[in-house]
Amino acid sequence: MLTRLLAGRGVSAGMVLLAAGVLSLVWYFTIIRIENEKQLAIAGSIADSRNVAAIVSANLDEVLGKTLLYSRIGQSMLNGEQSSSAYFNPLFNGDSATCAWPCSMRVVGWSIRRRARRASRS
């Protein structure tokens, strides 16, 4: 038996077993690392989703708040308080994007009143 070991057969078998053991350890640690990275990626995507949801929620809350404000202004205008139309000024509400609708409505209202005055004169 000693002669076989010295002939290289036992050494070759030992090297193969050692290489297989090292390879299995490398695969084991690689699989563990991949699982950990997967869990980190999932946790990161959950955190990102929560951040996006918080941003969307804040934006929606702002839009609904402005909608409630405009509905109150509209209701007071329907109740006969014409001075409340000044609240449609975008500088008053802090929203420059709202100028398109109220400003165009003022122009239409002015145009209708002008036509009515002309019709009443003739």
Side-chain angles (χ1 to χ4, degrees):
M1 182 149 178
L2 188 58
T3 56
R4 285 187 188 168
L5 273 175
L6 294 175
R9 290 182 185 161
V11 174
S12 296
M15 292 301 275
V16 168
L17 286 175
L18 182 63
V22 169
L23 184 63
S24 64
L25 280 174
V26 168
W27 275 103
Y28 174 74
F29 288 123
T30 302
I31 289 172
I32 288 176
R33 183 170 176 167
I34 288 171
E35 289 297 321
N36 288 339
E37 287 182 8
K38 223 187 270 186
Q39 290 174 357
L40 285 174
I42 290 171
S45 67
I46 289 172
D48 288 343
S49 296
R50 286 183 182 156
N51 290 341
V52 169
I55 291 169
V56 169
S57 172
N59 288 342
L60 184 62
D61 186 44
E62 181 181 349
V63 168
L64 292 177
K66 289 196 184 280
T67 304
L68 182 62
L69 173 69
Y70 290 135
S71 70
R72 287 180 182 162
I73 293 170
Q75 185 65 38
S76 65
M77 286 179 67
L78 288 175
N79 290 337
E81 298 174 27
Q82 296 300 322
S83 62
S84 62
S85 66
Y87 293 117
F88 278 125
N89 185 354
L91 294 176
F92 181 81
N93 295 319
D95 188 7
S96 61
T98 58
C99 185
W101 180 75
C103 292
S104 65
M105 291 304 290
R106 286 187 201 137
V107 169
V108 169
W110 177 78
S111 177
I112 291 172
R113 278 184 253 137
R114 186 172 155 198
R115 287 182 192 158
R117 275 187 255 146
R118 281 186 185 169
S120 66
R121 288 181 190 165
S122 55

